[in-house]
Amino acid sequence: MMDFTGKTALVTGGSRGIGRAVCLELAKGGAGVALCYAGNEAAALETVRAVEDLGAKALAVRCDVAEAAQVDRLVKAVLEAFGRIDILVNNAGITRDNLILRMSEADFDAVTAANLKGAFLCMKAVSRLMLKQRCGRIVNLSSVVGLRGNAGQVNYAASKAGIIGMTKSLAKELASRGVTVNAVAPGFIETDMTAALSESARAAIQGSIPMNRLGAPEDVARAVAFLASGEAAYITGQVLAVDGGMAV
């Protein structure tokens, strides 16, 4: 288990799935955890209770990460509650899947705004703080789809590939001040998104994974925790695939 004693983490999209698992993993290491959520307040408050049950301080803030003013209010709320932000995990994201001939401009814009612009706004807001602290960890959630592409997910793949480009670029901007920026690219993980798959689609996906199983949110959370820890101090600008071998 990584030691995050005295650290504060901000996890976007932290109420469910991978985000929730990240919140709990960081809390186990002693981090105070602030999470933001888009709309499911009940799930967010349940995650807060789970973090507090681990003995860590927790805060939930409603925020649309695609809106700069809301991101600024989010960061302000976290600073008022915790005094600092040491770790940013950009996990918030949505899907609006369809073949390109049927994909609306609105669906493309919604996905890139939430997934790509949202990560940009959060990194911009937190970077200034981390530069002043001369330390910090930013971990962005990309996807195996951003590495390989996927039919019916032009918008999602574009947003997740864009996150990789932003990660590598920002890593070069912040490295001299002790701030690392890395990405984790999950494969197919057992979340609400994959729960909606048909049995045939699920079987086809599982057959394409060398480890022959879907991942668990905790598999991703442990990778995020490593990159957010002191043990990863000399790692920046990297993309760690957590996909059971899909991207090999």
Side-chain angles (χ1 to χ4, degrees):
M1 184 184 300
M2 304 297 167
D3 183 9
F4 299 106
T5 304
K7 304 292 186 181
T8 298
L10 170 56
V11 182
T12 70
S15 62
R16 296 178 294 171
I18 290 171
R20 183 181 189 278
V22 169
C23 289
L24 297 181
E25 190 68 26
L26 296 176
K28 288 175 186 175
V33 177
L35 64 99
C36 77
Y37 64 99
N40 193 333
E41 183 179 23
L45 294 178
E46 194 282 326
T47 300
V48 165
R49 287 190 292 270
V51 168
E52 292 174 340
D53 286 345
L54 293 169
K57 183 177 179 180
L59 172 71
V61 180
R62 187 167 187 166
C63 177
D64 179 352
V65 295
E67 296 291 336
Q70 292 193 38
V71 170
D72 289 342
R73 287 196 293 270
L74 167 66
V75 170
K76 182 179 179 181
V78 177
L79 291 176
E80 288 176 351
F82 293 90
R84 61 187 291 122
I85 299 174
D86 303 284
I87 300 162
L88 169 65
V89 180
N90 279 310
N91 171 71
I94 63 172
T95 57
R96 296 285 188 275
D97 296 348
N98 219 328
L99 297 175
I100 194 167
L101 296 180
R102 299 174 183 170
M103 184 176 291
S104 69
E105 184 178 351
D107 283 345
F108 184 90
D109 288 346
V111 170
T112 53
N115 299 4
L116 186 60
K117 182 184 176 183
F120 160 75
L121 290 174
C122 290
M123 290 192 293
K124 182 178 180 180
V126 168
S127 290
R128 187 180 301 275
L129 303 172
M130 292 183 173
L131 287 171
K132 289 180 179 179
Q133 295 168 182
R134 300 190 70 88
C135 65
R137 300 283 183 269
I138 297 174
V139 184
N140 296 320
L141 270 293
S142 180
S143 169
V144 67
V145 173
L147 296 170
R148 299 180 57 188
N150 195 38
Q153 290 192 304
V154 165
N155 50 2
Y156 187 75
S159 70
K160 293 302 185 177
I163 283 174
I164 292 172
M166 287 200 303
T167 296
K168 292 179 176 293
S169 298
L170 189 59
K172 293 183 176 182
E173 292 185 23
L174 304 184
S176 65
R177 296 293 185 93
V179 180
T180 66
V181 189
N182 292 289
V184 173
F188 285 92
I189 307 298
E190 297 276 11
T191 64
D192 291 346
M193 289 184 183
T194 55
L197 293 169
S198 67
E199 285 300 317
S200 59
R202 188 183 184 88
I205 290 167
Q206 188 165 320
S208 71
I209 301 171
M211 293 189 74
N212 197 37
R213 70 172 178 87
L214 273 66
E218 292 74 18
D219 293 322
V220 181
R222 286 187 285 268
V224 171
F226 168 68
L227 291 174
S229 73
E231 282 80 354
Y234 200 57
I235 300 173
T236 196
Q238 302 304 307
V239 182
L240 176 58
V242 181
D243 62 1
M246 285 186 70
V248 171

